[in-house]
Amino acid sequence: MSSATAPAAPASLPKDPPGGRKAVLVWSIGVAVYFVAVIFRTSLGVAGLEAADRFHVNASALSTFSLLQLLVYAGMQIPVGLMVDRLGTKKVLTLGAVLFTAGQIGFALSPSYGMALAARALLGCGDAMTFISVLRLGTRWFPARRAPLMAQLAGLVGMAGNLVSTLVLAPVLHGIGWVPAFAGSAVAGLVVLVPLVLFLRDHPEGHEPPPREPAATAGAGGFVRRQISDSWKEPGTKLGLWVHFTTQFPAMVFLLLWGMPFLVEAQGLSRTTAGGLLTLIVASNMALGLVYGQIVGRRQSSRIPLALGTVAVTALMWGSVLAYPGDHAPMWLLVCLCLVLGMCGPASMIGFDFARPANPAERQGTASGITNMGGFIASMTTLLVVGLLLDATGDDYRIAFSSVFVLELLGISQILRLRGRALSRERDRATTAVAGAVVTAGAAADIAPSEVSPARP
């Protein structure tokens, strides 16, 4: 058969990234940036009481620090997802590291409440650029079957950053003071910038993303509208957002701001004991992250039961602590609460396991950004409501923390509403992909002999 009449070979299916040592090294650079971002993000959680004294503010004003930071973070998720899809991981991560380092330095040196708020907003903007970028690195450098585990590992490293805030920054803050502690910690941001700029790559060689269609490059406005619209049309993206919304915020609110005041002021614990309980949340999170990642990676059907089970156990433990008849809950009950709160982070990562298969590679950043908004919107809302209720009730933590149940009920109702459509669409897409692979393989087998064998006489 002549080349003029030979049928064109079918396009091959996209190859899975190879993984391997180089993938681990590149991914580790991105995760190191995220690790530092989480240290900066959670640094206020161990300095809430000191911040109230330094800036002479009440509970509502104190919650505004974390509220503004999370507002910026949540508001940046879709723009950051679009940036990652359009500009690539390295550029977005580099910009993020510069911004959150500048924010940490500014927070250290701020002489007033207003300037400190601006510094936390800048920090939140930079922080918002890290996690989605790390998720994108995982999908670009590792096989798809590894995606749930790599996402959980990224979350685990982030919780290690929280651990550093609790175990390292807290005693340093109490020992050397506000400015040296926060300004000194900002050096970590400069340290991770060096390997980021020199060695990080968006994808392995031979696995470049496909060129955008002409319509995608015609204008930024059309690209943005299409990316957001197409991602949001997918039930899996919406389900991912609500899973993230419902599971993440109880632990986030506790670790980010209100855990230390609750344990010290409402439960009568010393700062050292309270810090140990916060550390227990982080340790539980890190241990359970590996477990959740392995379970979801092996059994996709476990995603909804794991998410809803985590919400149910969290609500049960919060209810037990808040309804305890004595003035202070016993230590064993507080320990159980903190162990259960450690489940929230790993459970929130399940949201990305719904959004990921629902969207093609070129929309992964945008879809992840939409999903990631969920937990931070819930955390932001709860941070504000708890602060307002504390001021309105004379620091009644039982009433203030009861707001957790309202958001959990809202999230559960949305998960139950969306799960049927999302899972059905996911199954249909998987069936279509398998059928396409079979057809492609069959067509290639038919063509191969005539292409490589000489014609018989």
Side-chain angles (χ1 to χ4, degrees), residues 232-256:
W232 187 245
K233 286 177 182 176
E234 293 292 342
T237 305
K238 296 176 184 177
L239 179 59
L241 180 146
W242 283 106
V243 168
H244 200 266
F245 177 101
T246 314
T247 54
Q248 187 202 46
F249 78 95
M252 177 68 71
V253 168
F254 204 78
L255 288 169
L256 200 58

Side-chain angles (χ1 to χ4, degrees), residues 159 251 254-255 277-286 338 341-342:
M159 290 307 297
F254 204 78
L255 288 169
L277 288 175
L278 294 180
T279 303
L280 183 61
I281 298 176
V282 178
S284 174
N285 185 301
M286 295 175 69
C338 291
L341 287 177

Side-chain angles (χ1 to χ4, degrees), residues 5-377:
T5 60
S12 61
L13 293 173
K15 295 181 294 182
D16 247 2
R21 182 179 301 176
K22 186 173 182 180
V24 172
L25 291 175
V26 172
W27 180 82
S28 297
I29 295 172
V31 169
V33 178
Y34 175 56
F35 173 76
V36 174
V38 173
I39 294 176
F40 293 177
R41 178 201 303 170
T42 58
S43 58
L44 185 60
V46 298
L49 299 176
E50 288 81 0
D53 292 338
R54 179 178 175 84
F55 300 112
H56 310 291
V57 294
N58 60 13
S60 297
L62 181 61
S63 67
T64 304
F65 275 123
S66 296
L67 176 64
L68 178 62
Q69 184 179 334
L70 290 183
L71 178 63
V72 172
Y73 188 105
M76 285 291 295
Q77 289 310 292
I78 292 179
V80 168
L82 292 165
M83 290 169 64
V84 170
D85 286 338
R86 196 170 183 88
L87 302 178
T89 304
K90 182 173 183 176
K91 293 179 181 178
V92 178
L93 263 183
T94 302
L95 178 59
V98 170
L99 291 178
F100 67 61
T101 302
Q104 187 77 341
I105 295 173
F107 191 60
L109 303 177
S110 296
S112 66
Y113 176 67
M115 291 187 66
L117 278 177
R120 295 305 286 186
L122 186 63
L123 192 157
C125 184
D127 181 20
M129 299 182 180
T130 58
F131 186 64
I132 293 176
S133 298
V134 171
L135 288 180
R136 179 61 171 260
L137 280 179
T139 59
R140 288 295 191 189
W141 282 89
F142 292 93
R145 68 182 184 277
R146 298 289 186 191
L149 180 60
M150 300 313 297
Q152 289 287 356
L153 286 174
L156 185 151
V157 173
M159 290 307 297
N162 202 326
L163 195 63
V164 169
S165 292
T166 304
L167 295 181
V168 179
L169 185 59
V172 169
L173 176 65
H174 300 147
I176 65 177
W178 183 278
V179 173
F182 278 96
S185 67
V187 174
L190 301 176
V191 171
V192 295
L193 264 174
V194 176
L196 169 58
V197 172
L198 294 180
F199 302 116
L200 190 133
R201 299 291 181 269
D202 286 352
H203 46 72
E205 292 184 12
H207 292 266
E208 293 81 4
R212 294 190 184 94
E213 300 175 1
T217 58
F223 172 79
V224 169
R225 287 191 297 272
R226 185 173 55 259
Q227 288 286 98
I228 296 174
S229 174
D230 291 348
S231 297
W232 187 245
K233 286 177 182 176
E234 293 292 342
T237 305
K238 296 176 184 177
L239 179 59
L241 180 146
W242 283 106
V243 168
H244 200 266
F245 177 101
T246 314
T247 54
Q248 187 202 46
F249 78 95
M252 177 68 71
V253 168
F254 204 78
L255 288 169
L256 200 58
L257 182 62
W258 290 122
M260 182 70 76
F262 170 74
L263 295 172
V264 173
E265 296 178 351
Q267 298 301 318
L269 302 180
S270 67
R271 289 174 181 264
T272 302
T273 304
L277 288 175
L278 294 180
T279 303
L280 183 61
I281 298 176
V282 178
S284 174
N285 185 301
M286 295 175 69
L288 292 171
L290 294 175
V291 176
Y292 275 51
Q294 291 287 352
I295 293 174
V296 173
R298 294 176 181 178
R299 292 181 61 87
Q300 291 285 289
S301 61
S302 67
R303 290 172 296 175
I304 291 291
L306 272 178
L308 293 179
T310 299
V311 175
V313 175
T314 304
L316 175 63
M317 291 310 306
W318 260 123
S320 300
V321 170
L322 297 179
Y324 192 79
D327 292 336
H328 301 148
M331 178 57 70
W332 67 265
L333 187 55
L334 295 175
V335 168
C336 290
L337 171 65
C338 291
L339 288 173
V340 168
L341 287 177
M343 301 168 64
C344 294
S348 71
M349 301 300 296
I350 296 173
F352 298 101
D353 294 318
F354 288 110
R356 187 185 302 111
N359 293 272
E362 61 270 18
R363 287 207 311 265
Q364 288 295 317
T366 306
S368 296
I370 293 173
T371 300
N372 208 29
M373 286 178 60
F376 289 93
I377 291 174

